[in-house]
Amino acid sequence: MVHPVIRKLEAIEPLTDTERRKIDSLVRDVGDVARKTDIIADGESPNYVHLILEGWAARYKVLRDGSRRITAFLIPGDFCDLHITILDAMDHGIVALTDCRVAYIEQATIDEVTRSTPALTRALWRATLVDEAVLRQWLVNCGRRNALEAVAHLLCELHLRMQLVGLAANDRLDLPVTQEELADATGMTPVHINRTLQRLRNEGLIELGSGTLYVPDVRTLRRACDFDSAYLHLLSSRSVGSEEKRY
Amino acid sequence: MVHPVIRKLEAIEPLTDTERRKIDSLVRDVGDVARKTDIIADGESPNYVHLILEGWAARYKVLRDGSRRITAFLIPGDFCDLHITILDAMDHGIVALTDCRVAYIEQATIDEVTRSTPALTRALWRATLVDEAVLRQWLVNCGRRNALEAVAHLLCELHLRMQLVGLAANDRLDLPVTQEELADATGMTPVHINRTLQRLRNEGLIELGSGTLYVPDVRTLRRACDFDSAYLHLLSSRSVGSEEKRY
DNA sequence: CGTCGTTTTGATCGCAGTCAAACGTCGTGG
DNA sequence: CCACGACGTTTGACTGCGATCAAAACGACG
């Protein structure tokens, strides 16, 4: 079985067989995390880097009034805290949204890999920078798009990212995320998320139920929220040298 | 004169004299950019890395309906596009908010530095990761804080960052940013920014006029918006091992 | 003194928030 | 097999924050 990490990294940087095997070798120590429990808590400085193998997780911050802001969704192939090798402590928490299978990778191992394999270093760097680009899109989502566009854009992102790791065959994917979690991720309320999803359904843009999302026509959905995949810096969309959007 | 970059980097990573001189040597090619013009445009892949020496700039994205979202403010000492060495093209633009003095640094120079000076590499990495942490705070700002808290939090951030580079003596700093730009940075409208600033003034939290911001009592302002500087990962606040917030 | 960009004010609107209750589904235990 | 509770989704009624539109005031500058 090909690790989702490999699929993900290959989408943004071509890899050789040796490099692929190197990644494979990272996954030694594997563990399970139950839904609703922290993979890493805010303020922690773990000795291991965490990599999601199965399941969904989320970066989040909790405010003093108890409200929560999700700042990213993590799916198989995503690193939770690559930066912990550089920064002192986590400035946010990471919670498992479903039961998760997680790889624990020693910092020393990462250091060794980056020292010996420049292409992988680039790939990891790249992945981090793409995460940052996603954050910027989320910022656009909440400040300058209406609810419908914001949710649509988020769904487009998740759809594409799931595709990259081979988890969205036929435009159908597991979306094991509650509406409350979607609300925390878009800065809306659960009630309004519910109504927005209903509008998306009524307009035939999505089919969503029992944890599964189906996108009848990706083009239409992307056009509805002006989704341009360029910000994900995928190899496939690079240097296409075109002015029109890649819906 | 000590470059703001050095002050900034030293706030997050201690540097030796040699390293400081190395940074100094980066600044060879310097140019001026007029207010309201792009330092780098969206989609560009410049050959140079840009570093702000004087003035204010902003990262931004423009939507199809013409509205703009500012995703970061850049002040002296900030790199505009360190990531361009890794990514193919800009996924957003950078515009000068005031007349700016900018250093153009060849990619090869950056590469040479990072190859020869691990401590500097760490420092640059760190700076990038702190930028990401700031993005997360902005996400909290617009989704889960009300207008007053959001603006206050933004002002706290700018206040602290200006202090770091020595541009905010006595809690007084230049804030050459229009209310429209603040609106684009918070996801609000200019009108509402105006009213929110008035509230902040009326409550004695800030004094703001003619491009200058004065914070009578930093503690109070920070408490008003639950500002915790930990997310900036400063050396001074690190491993203080305390539970209470660093207002 | 007129112009332009910016800030300020006022009146009105509407999107999304809030509060609360009902409903469906599923797993658990009687 | 059913009662029960937990959890998530859905619906309704009402509220309010911030948006929108428009105009006036202000201030810097040529």
Side-chain angles (χ1 to χ4, degrees), chain B residues 177-197:
Chain B
V177 173
T178 68
Q179 296 186 359
E180 187 176 2
E181 286 154 356
L182 286 176
D184 287 342
T186 48
M188 303 165 53
T189 55
V191 174
H192 201 55
I193 276 284
N194 181 284
R195 291 178 172 136
T196 306
L197 288 175

Side-chain angles (χ1 to χ4, degrees), chain A residues 40-41 43-47 84 87-90 107:
Chain A
I40 321 157
E44 247 183 278
S45 15
N47 296 313
I84 208 62
L87 292 179
D88 44 314
M90 292 292 290
Q107 286 194 27

Side-chain angles (χ1 to χ4, degrees), chain A residues 156-171:
Chain A
C156 283
E157 176 206 319
L158 295 175
H159 173 81
L160 184 45
R161 285 174 54 200
M162 286 292 275
Q163 260 185 339
L164 290 184
V165 291
L167 294 173
N170 296 75
D171 296 328

Side-chain angles (χ1 to χ4, degrees), chain A residues 174-215:
Chain A
D174 278 351
L175 195 85
V177 173
T178 67
Q179 296 185 359
E180 187 176 2
E181 286 154 356
L182 287 176
D184 287 342
T186 48
M188 303 165 52
T189 55
V191 174
H192 201 55
I193 276 283
N194 182 285
R195 291 177 170 137
T196 306
L197 288 176
Q198 286 181 48
R199 281 184 57 200
L200 284 167
R201 278 190 285 241
N202 289 336
E203 297 183 18
L205 293 170
I206 63 167
E207 287 172 28
L208 177 61
S210 57
T212 300
L213 170 68
Y214 171 60
V215 183

Side-chain angles (χ1 to χ4, degrees), chain A residues 85-123:
Chain A
T85 52
I86 301 286
L87 292 179
D88 44 314
M90 292 292 290
D91 56 37
H92 61 274
I94 296 180
V95 64
L97 299 179
T98 66
D99 292 342
C100 279
R101 176 152 284 255
V102 176
Y104 303 87
I105 307 168
E106 280 186 69
Q107 286 194 27
T109 314
I110 297 277
D111 289 346
E112 193 278 313
V113 166
T114 52
R115 226 176 301 109
S116 66
T117 326
L120 275 186
T121 314
R122 266 183 80 84

